[in-house]
Amino acid sequence: MSPSAPSPPPAPSGAAVRPSPAPDVLVVGGGLVGLFCADALERRGARVELWERGGSFGAESGAASHASAGMLAPLAEVPDDPDFLAVCLRARDLWRDAARQLADRSGIDLDYDDDGALLVDHVDAPATAFEAAALLAGEPILRLDDREARDLVPDLAPDAGPFLFLPGEHRVDNRRVLEALAKLIPRPGVRVRFRCALERLTPGPTGVRAESAEHSTEAGAVLIAAGAWSSRVRGLATPPIHPVKGQMMRFSHVDWPLGGCVRSGHFYTARRRGGEVLLGATVEPEAGFDARVTGGGLESLTGFARSVLPGLLNRPVVETWAGLRPGSPDGRPHLGPLDDRVWVASGHSRNGVLLAPWTANTVADWLLDGAVPDEPGVRLFAPERSLLVEP
């Protein structure tokens, strides 16, 4: 079906939000995208059920919401895709209010930071490309000399550079965001089932039957937001979302003046309060669902640090881990209807944290009101552009 003319389930009426065994919307996936969507749908009046395959939100081994660095980096991530960049910039602009509201509602400080990002020119990230993209998007970008860059990040290598500064790149502590949503989501309008992995969907004329190994339910609509696991559903064609492994490290006792991020190619650092820095991330599309840390992956990270941030390697390593990004063939998310009553919001790859509140607002407006949002992302992210035929 075309995303320009969906046939969503009717918007919930007053009767629909009264206690009932059947949810208006079943959200599959308890990561950041699924949690933000469940929250937005329930606040708009829908009765929601949420299935999470792990024992707690975002806790499945390798789940990207827990494993990521929380960067809100539209320009650094998609400088060569102007239409996608426009959506990502809008998503970034939503985050300031989203972070404030979520912190106020939950009482949890999300460590939201808008200090910007230092871009260290490297083979994979020529400075001129970012300057051209920033100019086209109307985003500020500054060239820094060696002294200015080292005032922000003293651990830079002597031969690192040239340097660009991106004031519009922000970050948030994704684990704190998960904690805040986990505190808010279990409520009368949202029924939560843990250790419940969706296996099959059977759409019908009045609803969708969803089945896991030990549970089934009938819902008015189903939203698949299961990250890297979103294509593991029988019963309908799904987008070809696949895991892309990324390994990371966390250092302590770091006192850089810069509160934001340092980036070079696909590697980066992200600050955390308390003198910590996250270093990431490898890009391993052939690893499948293997979320184990490897010596080769850690060597790749330390090799980057050795060439760009050698001083960081003198700090204690307090954690290493790996995550599974939900990748897609063209690097863009899949967002929209798969049929009249089954929707998908997945495949966000390296932009899941950035796009989560925007995705939730778009899903709630579109699914509940039946009005196609006037967003370039609706066309860019149309799921029928590449579907796996269910055997």
Side-chain angles (χ1 to χ4, degrees):
M1 83 182 272
S2 167
S4 63
S7 300
S13 65
V17 298
R18 291 200 298 266
S20 166
D24 299 306
V25 184
L26 169 64
V27 176
V28 180
L32 287 180
V33 171
L35 290 172
F36 268 110
C37 287
D39 184 60
L41 289 164
E42 194 275 340
R43 295 180 78 190
R44 290 278 300 274
R47 184 169 180 83
V48 176
E49 185 167 319
L50 188 147
W51 288 8
E52 162 56 33
R53 64 186 299 121
S56 61
F57 294 124
E60 175 76 7
S61 176
S65 294
H66 185 268
S68 71
M71 292 182 301
L72 313 176
L75 189 60
E77 287 292 346
V78 288
D80 57 351
D81 192 339
D83 291 334
F84 190 10
L85 176 58
V87 178
C88 290
L89 289 170
R90 186 170 300 185
R92 177 208 60 192
D93 293 342
L94 286 175
W95 251 107
R96 193 181 301 275
D97 282 344
R100 177 183 54 79
Q101 293 173 17
L102 185 56
D104 288 347
R105 293 169 58 206
S106 67
I108 294 174
D109 179 4
L110 305 183
D111 191 12
Y112 179 87
D113 179 271
D114 60 359
D115 254 15
L118 179 69
L119 176 66
V120 183
D121 190 21
H122 208 52
V123 174
D124 296 327
T128 52
F130 281 92
E131 289 177 312
L135 179 64
L136 184 64
E139 283 290 299
I141 189 167
L142 306 171
R143 281 192 176 265
L144 302 186
D145 60 29
D146 282 0
R147 180 189 59 80
E148 292 170 321
R150 294 175 207 288
D151 283 347
L152 294 174
V153 183
D155 286 332
L156 285 163
D159 59 348
F163 304 102
L164 295 178
F165 188 70
L166 312 178
E169 307 286 274
H170 302 172
R171 66 160 182 83
V172 68
D173 188 328
N174 49 291
R175 294 184 181 180
R176 294 190 183 201
V177 177
L178 266 178
E179 182 184 356
L181 288 166
K183 181 178 179 180
L184 294 172
I185 283 297
R187 55 189 193 249
V190 184
R191 177 192 302 153
V192 177
R193 295 186 185 275
F194 291 113
R195 305 195 186 283
C196 194
L198 176 65
E199 294 187 353
R200 176 176 289 277
L201 291 175
T202 307
T206 61
V208 184
R209 183 173 181 80
E211 299 173 67
S212 71
E214 299 179 351
H215 180 72
S216 65
T217 193
E218 189 93 11
V222 172
L223 175 68
I224 301 173
W229 292 264
S230 293
S231 292
R232 305 182 81 178
V233 181
R234 292 174 293 166
L236 78 165
T238 55
I241 295 166
H242 59 277
V244 179
K245 183 176 177 179
Q247 301 187 50
M248 296 185 64
M249 308 172 70
R250 180 161 58 97
F251 296 83
S252 65
H253 297 81
V254 182
D255 57 357
W256 301 342
L258 177 66
C261 301
V262 179
R263 304 192 57 119
S264 186
H266 64 77
F267 292 105
Y268 56 80
T269 67
R271 291 295 302 274
R272 288 291 184 266
R273 288 184 182 169
E276 294 188 339
V277 160
L278 310 186
L279 170 64
T282 63
V283 179
E284 304 171 52
E286 306 302 325
F289 287 91
D290 181 356
R292 294 174 295 181
V293 174
T294 66
L298 297 183
E299 175 55 33
S300 178
L301 296 174
T302 56
F304 160 72
R306 196 174 295 115
S307 64
V308 177
L309 294 161
L312 186 61
L313 297 179
N314 297 324
R315 307 322 203 283
V317 176
V318 294
E319 185 184 5
T320 61
W321 69 97
L324 304 175
R325 311 174 188 91
S328 66
D330 59 8
R332 293 171 174 171
H334 286 75
L335 176 63
L338 297 176
D339 74 4
D340 284 356
R341 295 181 177 275
V342 180
W343 297 60
V344 64
S346 190
H348 292 75
S349 190
R350 293 169 66 99
N351 295 291
V353 180
L354 169 66
L355 291 169
W358 176 88
T359 298
N361 290 347
T362 301
V363 164
D365 289 344
W366 196 354
L367 199 156
L368 297 183
D369 293 343
V372 179
D374 184 19
E375 289 275 4
V378 172
R379 172 179 54 82
L380 295 174
F381 308 156
E384 65 264 30
R385 71 186 190 272
S386 56
L387 292 177
L388 293 173
V389 177
E390 203 276 327

